[in-house]
Amino acid sequence: KQWYQRRVAITAGIKRCEEKYSKAKTVNQILRHVGELLDYEDDKMLEELYKKTAWCFDKKYPTSGKSHEMFKEAAQKPEVLDELDIDDHTKEVLLKNIKRRLTPQAVKVRADVEVLCYAYEGIDAVKAALRAGLKLATEEVPLKINLIAPPIYVISVTLFNEEKGVEAVRASMEAIKNSIEASKGTFNVKLDPKVVTEREDQKLQEELEQRERDMMEKDGDEDSEDEESEDDEEEESDENEV
């Protein structure tokens, strides 16, 4: 047990070090690029930029990696840079590069679930369960549930925060599970919540569009069968009259 705890602690420590290094590297790349754009002639000018920006934030806010956090905040609130002792042109170039490197990108989180019910309530229980999952959707957390092919459904949400996206999808899954099982139905996870790539998302959209086309064709075939049935009935009626 002690060996396991020690291993977990070491793994967590390594992860923290990697995150710290990654953040410091990003800040370094931003400032070096700013120096290049401003045609700095030597390292002293670049060092002066560090002192007035990243090191200033790190000194004022002792928390590890604070300069990275302040730069990231500046991408959404440019006024954060107003406390820095730099001229307007330098601030403009710095902000432009911060936004290019640190503006958060929206991610799509997806999970696939199987929802079915062979008990008395049947499809009504399934619909009620899906509605329970959708009740958790808000303007800030726009959850969606789509049918792929009965009884498989995809739950998805697009947010800037991956962790919140996963939490939202899991909460929706839990609500669906509780509802369908209360009606003696079945709930199975086919795909755990995960961030999907652009290619995977495109594939999902194609599947949903194909599903919609199939449904339209099916409805068209049923209409044709109804028309043929009506024609047959009319012919039989005419023959009986004769």
Side-chain angles (χ1 to χ4, degrees):
K1 186 177 180 179
Q2 290 181 344
W3 173 83
Y4 176 75
Q5 291 175 337
R6 190 158 51 246
R7 182 177 179 182
V8 170
I10 291 172
T11 302
I14 291 173
K15 186 176 181 180
R16 284 195 297 271
C17 289
E18 288 176 343
E19 290 177 352
K20 184 178 179 180
Y21 171 76
S22 177
K23 290 178 178 179
K25 183 179 179 181
T26 299
V27 170
N28 179 63
Q29 289 173 336
I30 290 172
L31 293 178
R32 281 197 168 276
H33 189 52
V34 169
E36 291 173 2
L37 294 173
L38 295 176
D39 296 321
Y40 283 178
E41 297 177 355
D42 52 47
D43 289 340
K44 285 186 178 181
M45 297 180 73
L46 182 61
E47 184 178 341
E48 192 65 23
L49 179 65
Y50 270 88
K51 287 180 181 178
K52 291 182 176 181
T53 56
W55 295 350
C56 176
F57 281 137
D58 287 336
K59 186 177 181 179
K60 186 174 182 179
Y61 308 102
T63 308
S64 176
K66 195 61 182 181
S67 57
H68 182 275
E69 290 181 25
M70 296 302 288
F71 277 12
K72 192 171 183 179
E73 186 176 347
Q76 305 298 318
K77 300 177 181 178
E79 61 270 20
V80 168
L81 301 181
D82 290 346
E83 63 182 276
L84 300 177
D85 183 22
I86 54 177
D87 60 77
D88 290 341
H89 180 54
T90 300
K91 186 187 298 182
E92 181 183 346
V93 176
L94 175 59
L95 181 59
K96 185 176 180 180
N97 279 272
I98 286 174
K99 286 184 174 181
R100 185 174 65 86
R101 293 297 303 269
L102 295 178
T103 298
Q105 300 295 316
V107 294
K108 186 168 189 175
V109 178
R110 166 188 176 179
D112 293 356
V113 297
E114 181 183 61
V115 186
L116 64 161
C117 180
Y118 294 119
Y120 177 75
E121 294 181 56
I123 189 63
D124 290 333
V126 173
K127 289 179 179 179
L130 297 176
R131 283 195 293 268
L134 273 178
K135 278 184 180 179
L136 301 179
T138 64
E139 188 175 342
E140 293 76 23
V141 185
L143 281 163
K144 294 181 180 179
I145 300 178
N146 295 99
L147 171 67
I148 297 180
I152 307 298
Y153 298 85
V154 56
I155 307 169
S156 64
V157 67
T158 301
L159 293 174
F160 286 109
N161 189 307
E162 175 184 337
E163 187 176 339
K164 287 184 178 179
V166 172
E167 288 177 359
V169 171
R170 286 195 184 282
S172 180
M173 292 167 65
E174 187 66 21
I176 294 171
K177 180 177 184 292
N178 291 338
S179 178
I180 196 67
E181 289 184 350
S183 298
K184 298 182 180 179
T186 302
F187 178 90
N188 292 308
V189 177
K190 294 299 182 180
L191 176 69
D192 283 320
K194 57 170 279 189
V195 173
V196 294
T197 63
E198 187 175 339
R199 184 176 180 180
E200 290 172 327
D201 188 38
Q202 179 62 35
K203 185 178 179 182
L204 172 61
Q205 294 305 317
E206 290 173 356
E207 289 177 1
L208 295 177
E209 288 172 5
Q210 183 61 50
R211 165 74 183 167
E212 188 174 346
R213 285 194 295 269
D214 291 343
M215 290 296 292
M216 291 177 66
E217 290 177 3
K218 183 178 179 181
D219 291 341
D221 291 341
E222 289 178 352
D223 290 341
S224 297
E225 289 176 2
D226 290 341
E227 290 177 1
E228 290 178 2
S229 178
E230 289 176 1
D231 291 341
D232 291 341
E233 289 177 359
E234 289 178 2
E235 288 179 5
E236 289 180 4
S237 178
D238 292 339
E239 288 176 359
N240 290 334
E241 289 178 2
V242 172

